Amino acid sequence: MSELLFSGLKVIDCGSYIAAPAATMILADLGADVVKIEPLGAGDPYRQVHRLPGNPAADLDYGSLLDNRGKRGLAIDLAGDDGRDVLRRLVTAADVFVTNYPIAARGRLGIDEASLVALNERLIYGSFTAYGEKGEEATKPGFDTTAYWSRSGLMDQVRTDGAAVPARSVAGMGDHPSAMSMYAGIVTALLQRERTGKGTVVRSSLLANGLWANGFLGTAALNAAPFTPRPPREEAMNALTCHYRCADDAWIVLAVLNEERQWPLLADGLGLSHLKDDPRFLTKPDRLASSRELVACFDEAFGARPRAHWVEVLRAAGIVFEMVATPQDIHDDLQARTNGYVVDYPALPGVRSVATPFFVDGVPTAPASPPPSPGQHTAELLAELGYADADIARMRATGTIA
């Protein structure tokens, strides 16, 4: 393989859970040498999330498999002098340092931006928080389900209808998009460094990314546009942009926006050709005014056959639609596999994960490699930093490293 784009770039991942580590994983995919710093013992608490009730039960730590692939692991106590000396040596030679530790913890551990930028003027310091670094909530803890999903208005707006309970998020739903914006900020800062010779600080947060994800409705609200409560599915305002249950209890969603062309095709495909001449459905305004009746007609049609049948019918008719996939459907998604959206791990036969979601012609990515176990490369990394065997043994004896 030709040299990867970020070969030689030294990155320190001093984060936990998802957003900050996932941003550095993208850099690792593109060839950066990413060192994941973890506390002694069990390491990053994210390693235990797959064991929590409600998540898919597996011995495989599938969360770390995705978000920490391609990294080297360093487990160390940063509270002591030896640990801080190791950190200083790492930072002096690093290009990028990323953390999402709470602001107060950064000061206690000596990983705040002032301390680290002073060691290396070319350092890109990536700071990720829940709610931003200013204001009375700057120190408020948060996860994607709270700061991204709930606070942004998304949790309210994706409920099935205005009377339904708010919709729950899933693990990483806000973290992974947030990681992509953090990565974008880091790459932007690297370009700036190419021009100025100096590093800078990149800041992002779950709240900022949640508002961005909800930007369409957020901008409407910021400009006092009146909102209409979402009706129940059976009373959808437009039957041609609604979702329908098939005979096998699987669902399909329609997104027919070009109604002039696709309405007749859809009616024919569903075996409802007679509706094309029905006065209630002749024009788009007619169909909108009679949407409840049209939804009922579609419910009966879709409910008569399994989803596989309707997938073939709608595809042949050129209708814009999609199956409402479950996570299990990803396993057999040929389109995702064909386009490289799923990656295999050569060292772990049969193990797969999700690929970084962008591709640049002429810019290859590294083969997916397993995430490190906590501190897996500690001795190797310390030797690279110039520590003698005796120093490493002493730090192990004093509990600075495992």
Coordinates of all heavy atoms in Angstrom, one line a residue, residues 286-331:
D286 N -55.8 17.9 -3.7 CA -56.9 17.0 -3.3 C -56.3 15.9 -2.4 O -57.0 15.5 -1.4 CB -57.4 16.3 -4.6 CG -58.2 17.3 -5.5 OD1 -58.7 18.3 -5.0 OD2 -58.2 17.1 -6.7
R287 N -55.2 15.4 -2.8 CA -54.6 14.3 -2.0 C -54.2 14.8 -0.6 O -54.3 14.0 0.4 CB -53.4 13.7 -2.7 CG -53.8 12.9 -4.0 CD -52.6 12.1 -4.5 NE -51.6 13.0 -5.1 CZ -51.6 13.5 -6.4 NH1 -52.7 13.2 -7.2 NH2 -50.7 14.3 -6.9
L288 N -53.7 16.0 -0.5 CA -53.4 16.5 0.8 C -54.6 16.7 1.7 O -54.6 16.4 2.9 CB -52.6 17.8 0.7 CG -51.2 17.8 0.1 CD1 -50.6 19.2 -0.1 CD2 -50.3 16.9 0.9
A289 N -55.7 17.2 1.1 CA -56.9 17.4 1.8 C -57.6 16.1 2.2 O -58.3 16.1 3.2 CB -57.9 18.2 0.9
S290 N -57.3 15.0 1.5 CA -57.9 13.7 1.8 C -56.8 12.7 2.2 O -56.9 11.5 2.0 CB -58.6 13.2 0.5 OG -59.6 14.1 0.1
S291 N -55.8 13.2 2.9 CA -54.7 12.4 3.2 C -55.1 11.2 4.1 O -54.6 10.1 4.0 CB -53.5 13.2 3.8 OG -54.0 13.8 5.0
R292 N -56.0 11.5 5.1 CA -56.4 10.4 6.0 C -57.0 9.2 5.3 O -56.7 8.1 5.5 CB -57.3 11.0 7.0 CG -57.7 10.0 8.1 CD -58.7 10.5 9.1 NE -58.2 11.7 9.8 CZ -58.8 12.4 10.7 NH1 -60.0 12.0 11.1 NH2 -58.3 13.4 11.3
E293 N -57.8 9.5 4.3 CA -58.5 8.5 3.5 C -57.4 7.7 2.7 O -57.5 6.5 2.5 CB -59.6 9.0 2.6 CG -60.7 9.6 3.4 CD -60.6 11.1 3.6 OE1 -59.5 11.6 3.8 OE2 -61.6 11.8 3.7
L294 N -56.5 8.5 2.1 CA -55.5 7.8 1.3 C -54.5 7.0 2.1 O -54.1 5.9 1.6 CB -54.7 8.9 0.5 CG -53.7 8.4 -0.6 CD1 -54.5 7.5 -1.6 CD2 -53.1 9.6 -1.4
V295 N -54.2 7.4 3.3 CA -53.4 6.6 4.2 C -54.1 5.3 4.5 O -53.5 4.2 4.4 CB -53.1 7.3 5.5 CG1 -52.5 6.4 6.5 CG2 -52.1 8.5 5.3
A296 N -55.4 5.3 4.7 CA -56.1 4.1 5.0 C -56.1 3.2 3.8 O -56.0 1.9 3.9 CB -57.6 4.5 5.3
C297 N -56.2 3.7 2.6 CA -56.1 2.9 1.3 C -54.8 2.2 1.2 O -54.7 1.0 0.9 CB -56.4 3.7 0.1 SG -58.1 4.4 0.0
F298 N -53.7 3.0 1.5 CA -52.4 2.5 1.4 C -52.1 1.4 2.5 O -51.4 0.4 2.3 CB -51.4 3.6 1.5 CG -51.2 4.4 0.3 CD1 -52.0 4.2 -0.9 CD2 -50.2 5.4 0.2 CE1 -51.8 5.0 -2.0 CE2 -50.1 6.2 -0.9 CZ -50.9 6.0 -2.0
D299 N -52.6 1.7 3.7 CA -52.5 0.7 4.8 C -53.0 -0.7 4.4 O -52.4 -1.7 4.6 CB -53.2 1.2 6.0 CG -52.4 2.1 6.9 OD1 -51.1 2.1 6.7 OD2 -53.0 2.8 7.7
E300 N -54.2 -0.7 3.8 CA -54.8 -1.9 3.3 C -54.0 -2.6 2.3 O -53.8 -3.8 2.3 CB -56.2 -1.7 2.8 CG -57.0 -2.9 2.5 CD -58.4 -2.7 2.1 OE1 -58.8 -1.5 2.1 OE2 -59.1 -3.6 1.7
A301 N -53.5 -1.8 1.3 CA -52.7 -2.4 0.2 C -51.4 -3.0 0.7 O -51.1 -4.1 0.4 CB -52.4 -1.3 -0.8
F302 N -50.6 -2.2 1.4 CA -49.3 -2.7 1.9 C -49.5 -3.8 2.9 O -48.7 -4.8 2.9 CB -48.6 -1.5 2.6 CG -47.8 -0.6 1.7 CD1 -48.3 0.7 1.5 CD2 -46.7 -1.0 1.1 CE1 -47.6 1.5 0.6 CE2 -46.0 -0.2 0.2 CZ -46.4 1.1 0.0
G303 N -50.6 -3.8 3.6 CA -50.8 -4.9 4.6 C -51.1 -6.3 4.0 O -51.2 -7.3 4.7
A304 N -51.3 -6.3 2.7 CA -51.8 -7.5 2.0 C -50.6 -8.4 1.6 O -50.8 -9.6 1.3 CB -52.6 -7.2 0.8
R305 N -49.4 -7.8 1.5 CA -48.2 -8.5 1.0 C -47.0 -8.3 1.9 O -46.9 -7.2 2.5 CB -47.9 -8.1 -0.4 CG -49.0 -8.4 -1.5 CD -49.1 -9.9 -1.8 NE -50.0 -10.2 -2.9 CZ -49.6 -10.3 -4.1 NH1 -48.3 -10.2 -4.4 NH2 -50.4 -10.5 -5.1
P306 N -46.0 -9.2 1.9 CA -44.8 -8.9 2.7 C -43.9 -7.9 2.1 O -44.1 -7.5 0.9 CB -44.1 -10.3 2.7 CG -44.6 -11.0 1.5 CD -46.0 -10.5 1.3
R307 N -43.0 -7.4 2.9 CA -42.2 -6.3 2.5 C -41.4 -6.6 1.2 O -41.2 -5.8 0.3 CB -41.2 -5.8 3.6 CG -40.4 -4.6 3.2 CD -39.6 -4.0 4.4 NE -38.6 -4.9 4.9 CZ -37.9 -4.6 5.9 NH1 -38.1 -3.5 6.6 NH2 -36.9 -5.5 6.3
A308 N -40.8 -7.8 1.1 CA -40.0 -8.2 0.0 C -40.8 -8.0 -1.3 O -40.2 -7.6 -2.3 CB -39.5 -9.6 0.1
H309 N -42.0 -8.3 -1.3 CA -42.9 -8.1 -2.5 C -42.9 -6.6 -2.9 O -42.7 -6.2 -4.0 CB -44.3 -8.6 -2.3 CG -45.2 -8.2 -3.3 ND1 -45.4 -8.8 -4.5 CD2 -46.2 -7.2 -3.4 CE1 -46.3 -8.3 -5.3 NE2 -46.8 -7.2 -4.6
W310 N -43.2 -5.7 -1.9 CA -43.3 -4.3 -2.2 C -42.0 -3.7 -2.5 O -41.9 -2.7 -3.3 CB -43.9 -3.6 -1.0 CG -45.3 -4.0 -0.7 CD1 -45.8 -4.6 0.4 CD2 -46.4 -3.9 -1.6 NE1 -47.2 -4.9 0.2 CE2 -47.6 -4.5 -1.0 CE3 -46.6 -3.5 -2.9 CZ2 -48.8 -4.6 -1.6 CZ3 -47.8 -3.5 -3.6 CH2 -48.9 -4.1 -2.9
V311 N -40.9 -4.2 -2.0 CA -39.6 -3.7 -2.4 C -39.4 -3.8 -3.9 O -38.9 -2.9 -4.6 CB -38.5 -4.4 -1.6 CG1 -37.1 -4.1 -2.2 CG2 -38.5 -3.9 -0.2
E312 N -39.7 -5.0 -4.4 CA -39.5 -5.3 -5.8 C -40.5 -4.4 -6.7 O -40.1 -3.9 -7.7 CB -39.7 -6.7 -6.1 CG -38.7 -7.6 -5.5 CD -37.3 -7.2 -5.9 OE1 -37.1 -7.0 -7.1 OE2 -36.4 -7.2 -5.1
V313 N -41.7 -4.3 -6.2 CA -42.7 -3.5 -7.0 C -42.3 -2.0 -7.0 O -42.4 -1.4 -8.1 CB -44.1 -3.7 -6.3 CG1 -45.1 -2.7 -6.9 CG2 -44.6 -5.1 -6.5
L314 N -42.0 -1.5 -5.9 CA -41.7 0.0 -5.8 C -40.4 0.3 -6.6 O -40.2 1.3 -7.3 CB -41.6 0.4 -4.4 CG -42.9 0.3 -3.6 CD1 -42.6 0.6 -2.1 CD2 -44.0 1.2 -4.2
R315 N -39.4 -0.6 -6.5 CA -38.2 -0.5 -7.2 C -38.4 -0.5 -8.7 O -37.9 0.4 -9.5 CB -37.2 -1.5 -6.8 CG -35.8 -1.4 -7.5 CD -34.9 -2.5 -7.0 NE -34.5 -2.4 -5.6 CZ -34.2 -3.4 -4.8 NH1 -34.2 -4.6 -5.3 NH2 -33.9 -3.1 -3.5
A316 N -39.2 -1.4 -9.2 CA -39.5 -1.5 -10.6 C -40.2 -0.3 -11.1 O -40.1 0.1 -12.3 CB -40.3 -2.8 -10.9
A317 N -41.1 0.3 -10.3 CA -41.8 1.5 -10.7 C -41.0 2.8 -10.6 O -41.5 3.8 -11.0 CB -43.1 1.6 -9.8
G318 N -39.9 2.7 -10.0 CA -39.1 3.9 -9.8 C -39.5 4.8 -8.7 O -39.2 6.1 -8.8
I319 N -40.2 4.3 -7.8 CA -40.7 5.1 -6.6 C -39.6 5.3 -5.6 O -38.8 4.4 -5.3 CB -41.9 4.4 -6.0 CG1 -43.0 4.1 -7.0 CG2 -42.4 5.1 -4.8 CD1 -43.6 5.3 -7.6
V320 N -39.6 6.5 -5.1 CA -38.6 6.8 -4.0 C -39.2 6.3 -2.7 O -40.2 6.7 -2.2 CB -38.4 8.3 -3.9 CG1 -37.3 8.6 -2.8 CG2 -37.9 8.9 -5.2
F321 N -38.5 5.3 -2.2 CA -38.9 4.6 -0.9 C -37.7 4.0 -0.3 O -36.6 4.0 -0.8 CB -39.9 3.5 -1.3 CG -39.2 2.2 -1.8 CD1 -39.0 1.2 -0.9 CD2 -38.8 2.1 -3.1 CE1 -38.3 0.0 -1.4 CE2 -38.1 1.0 -3.5 CZ -37.9 0.0 -2.7
E322 N -37.9 3.4 0.9 CA -36.9 2.6 1.5 C -37.6 1.7 2.6 O -38.6 2.1 3.2 CB -35.8 3.4 2.2 CG -34.5 2.7 2.6 CD -34.0 1.8 1.5 OE1 -33.3 2.2 0.6 OE2 -34.4 0.6 1.5
M323 N -36.9 0.5 2.8 CA -37.4 -0.3 3.9 C -36.9 0.4 5.2 O -35.9 1.0 5.2 CB -36.9 -1.7 3.8 CG -35.4 -1.8 3.9 SD -34.8 -3.5 3.8 CE -33.1 -3.4 4.1
V324 N -37.7 0.2 6.2 CA -37.3 0.7 7.6 C -36.5 -0.4 8.2 O -37.0 -1.4 8.7 CB -38.6 1.0 8.4 CG1 -38.1 1.5 9.8 CG2 -39.5 2.1 7.8
A325 N -35.2 -0.3 8.0 CA -34.3 -1.4 8.3 C -34.1 -1.4 9.8 O -34.2 -0.5 10.6 CB -32.9 -1.1 7.7
T326 N -33.8 -2.6 10.3 CA -33.4 -2.9 11.7 C -31.9 -2.9 11.7 O -31.3 -3.2 10.6 CB -34.0 -4.2 12.2 OG1 -33.4 -5.3 11.5 CG2 -35.5 -4.2 12.1
P327 N -31.2 -2.8 12.8 CA -29.8 -3.0 12.8 C -29.3 -4.3 12.3 O -28.3 -4.4 11.6 CB -29.4 -2.8 14.3 CG -30.5 -1.9 14.9 CD -31.7 -2.3 14.1
Q328 N -30.1 -5.3 12.5 CA -29.8 -6.7 11.9 C -29.7 -6.7 10.4 O -29.0 -7.5 9.8 CB -30.8 -7.7 12.5 CG -30.7 -8.0 14.0 CD -31.6 -7.1 14.8 OE1 -31.9 -6.0 14.4 NE2 -32.0 -7.6 15.9
D329 N -30.5 -5.8 9.8 CA -30.5 -5.8 8.3 C -29.2 -5.3 7.8 O -28.9 -5.6 6.6 CB -31.6 -4.8 7.8 CG -33.0 -5.4 8.0 OD1 -33.2 -6.6 7.9 OD2 -33.9 -4.6 8.4
I330 N -28.4 -4.6 8.6 CA -27.1 -4.1 8.1 C -26.2 -5.2 7.7 O -25.4 -5.2 6.8 CB -26.5 -3.2 9.2 CG1 -27.3 -2.0 9.5 CG2 -25.0 -2.8 8.8 CD1 -26.9 -1.2 10.7
H331 N -26.4 -6.4 8.4 CA -25.5 -7.5 8.2 C -25.6 -8.0 6.8 O -24.5 -8.4 6.2 CB -25.9 -8.6 9.2 CG -25.0 -9.9 9.1 ND1 -25.2 -10.8 8.1 CD2 -23.9 -10.2 9.8 CE1 -24.3 -11.8 8.3 NE2 -23.5 -11.4 9.3

